[in-house]
Amino acid sequence: MTMKEIAQKLGLSVATVSRAINNKPNVNPETKKIIKEFTEKIMYTPNAAAQKLAKKDNKTIGILVPTLSNPFFSELIDNVCKLLYNNNYQVIIYNSNNDFSIEKASIKEMVAARVNGAIIILAQSNYDENPLMAFEKLNIPSILLDREMYAYEGAGIYLDNEKGAYDITKNLIMKNCKNIGFLTGNLNLKTASDRFDGYKRALLEYNIPLKEENIFYGDFTIKSGLEAYKKLNLHKIDGLFASNNLMLIGFLKGQKNKNKNLQLACFDKISLLEILDYNITFCEFSFDNICNHVLKFLENNEKNQIYITPMVKG
């Protein structure tokens, strides 16, 4: 029941009900008692967002993610939320499901909610119009996280995907891999194209031919990893580099039984596979480092871009 409906039910003005609920002066004690008893009876809860806007002490951060089914995004957002909560922020999480129309609607909702800042992980890298323009017009601090947008010069914190992929591929080469299968994500995403570039740079540097038959063009999903297993010639490759965790999981789902002769690598760490005794080369980086940069950017409304270099492990 809304405040307006309470007022209609009790035959009072909305202003009187509002003053009573918010313990404001100039309300008849008897009237206040009636309102209090009625709101307790119906278990009325004031709209917290509206109260914050009225008090002008709103410390709410909107976070937009492309999916929460990816363990990487789940862990990243979990760490960001913990730091924000510890600094007295509230968080609203929006999930675009990698859908541009949902992403656009979510950004519109964030602006309407008067968030104090926005952390955005985009669904794509190419846009006709800057999707963060709505925040910039209202001087709401906004920052891109993890996924870059082409031709964007605003605040952003990213992994150095090209360098990380180069280092992983080089690591496989140092393990005597000469035919390295590569599972790439959607190359319309800068994250995916940068990782592909890193893979190609390492092969070029060590004079290893780039073979189209060793490359599978996926979309960062388990399904595409499974398709890769079916289509790659596993008798020819001696190493496999999946450019994200879900594709490697899909590949291993197809493989079922371990191929001990196949060197495995993944850009993202997958802790579960360590438990299952898989020896996988991966990139490691500090979530704390990323989160501290995020908080600093939001509080200072900084506009620069930071690239964090992952360290190869395994």
Side-chain angles (χ1 to χ4, degrees):
M1 184 175 282
T2 66
M3 198 176 292
K4 183 178 179 180
E5 290 170 334
I6 292 171
Q8 291 174 342
K9 186 73 175 179
L10 298 177
L12 300 168
S13 70
V14 175
T16 298
V17 173
S18 176
R19 286 198 300 271
I21 289 174
N22 291 292
N23 292 313
K24 300 292 184 181
N26 303 322
V27 181
N28 183 287
E30 187 61 31
T31 302
K32 190 173 184 178
K33 181 181 178 183
I34 292 171
I35 295 171
K36 183 179 180 181
E37 289 176 350
F38 182 76
T39 54
E40 287 177 352
K41 180 180 178 181
I42 65 170
M43 293 187 290
Y44 172 77
T45 302
N47 186 309
Q51 286 187 326
K52 287 181 179 180
L53 288 174
K55 294 177 181 178
K56 298 182 180 181
D57 64 352
N58 182 19
K59 286 192 69 175
T60 301
I61 302 298
I63 300 178
L64 176 61
V65 295
T67 176
L68 287 171
S69 63
N70 187 321
F72 169 77
F73 288 130
S74 298
E75 188 171 359
L76 175 60
I77 297 307
D78 183 54
N79 279 272
V80 170
C81 287
K82 285 178 182 176
L83 184 62
L84 291 174
Y85 287 138
N86 288 338
N87 284 272
N88 301 314
Y89 285 94
Q90 297 298 312
V91 176
I92 306 174
I93 296 177
Y94 300 81
N95 184 355
S96 72
N97 288 308
N98 283 304
D99 186 305
F100 175 66
S101 60
I102 297 176
E103 178 179 87
K104 187 175 181 180
S106 298
I107 289 174
K108 187 176 180 180
E109 287 181 25
M110 280 193 207
V111 173
R114 310 277 187 90
V115 295
N116 278 72
I119 300 168
I120 308 295
I121 306 177
L122 293 169
Q124 55 193 55
S125 295
N126 284 305
Y127 291 84
D128 294 330
E129 296 181 0
N130 178 3
L132 276 65
M133 185 60 69
F135 300 117
E136 294 175 7
K137 286 181 178 178
L138 296 174
N139 200 33
I140 297 173
S142 59
I143 179 172
L144 286 183
L145 183 60
D146 184 60
R147 289 185 175 180
E148 292 186 69
M149 177 169 55
Y150 289 113
Y152 180 70
E153 298 179 355
I157 300 173
Y158 317 108
L159 297 176
D160 190 336
N161 290 291
E162 196 274 347
K163 179 65 164 57
Y166 165 83
D167 287 341
I168 286 179
T169 308
K170 179 180 175 180
N171 180 284
L172 290 175
I173 293 171
M174 293 298 99
K175 293 177 179 177
N176 296 317
C177 294
K178 303 300 181 184
N179 282 290
I180 302 170
F182 185 73
L183 314 186
T184 179
N186 185 335
L187 293 177
N188 289 324
L189 277 173
K190 195 171 186 301
T191 299
S193 63
D194 283 353
R195 292 176 186 179
F196 193 25
D197 287 344
Y199 164 78
K200 291 186 289 185
R201 179 161 72 92
L203 295 184
L204 180 64
E205 185 173 307
Y206 286 88
N207 298 312
I208 296 175
L210 177 67
K211 298 178 181 178
E212 190 67 24
E213 64 187 30
N214 288 346
I215 300 166
F216 179 82
Y217 297 91
D219 60 4
F220 282 160
T221 64
I222 290 176
K223 182 179 178 181
S224 69
L226 181 57
E227 285 298 311
Y229 171 77
K230 296 174 182 177
K231 293 183 178 180
L232 286 178
N233 190 333
L234 301 181
H235 296 292
K236 290 188 176 181
I237 63 173
D238 49 16
L240 180 82
F241 179 13
S243 60
N244 94 322
N245 49 19
L246 295 182
M247 286 195 294
L248 181 59
I249 291 171
F251 181 88
L252 294 176
K253 180 180 179 182
Q255 183 176 249
K256 294 182 181 177
N257 297 317
K258 290 183 185 180
N259 178 354
K260 294 182 180 180
N261 296 319
L262 185 63
Q263 296 285 343
L264 295 174
C266 181
F267 196 92
D268 310 310
K269 180 179 180 180
I270 312 176
S271 299
L272 178 61
L273 295 183
E274 290 181 339
I275 298 172
L276 297 175
D277 197 31
Y278 279 93
N279 182 22
I280 297 173
T281 301
F282 60 89
C283 282
E284 186 174 71
F285 44 86
S286 169
F287 280 112
D288 287 342
N289 186 24
I290 295 172
C291 295
N292 287 329
H293 281 304
V294 168
L295 184 64
K296 181 181 177 182
F297 273 46
L298 289 172
E299 294 189 334
N300 299 324
N301 200 6
E302 294 184 7
K303 300 297 183 184
N304 56 311
Q305 299 180 344
I306 289 179
Y307 290 85
I308 295 171
T309 303
M311 302 297 293
V312 174
K313 300 288 183 180

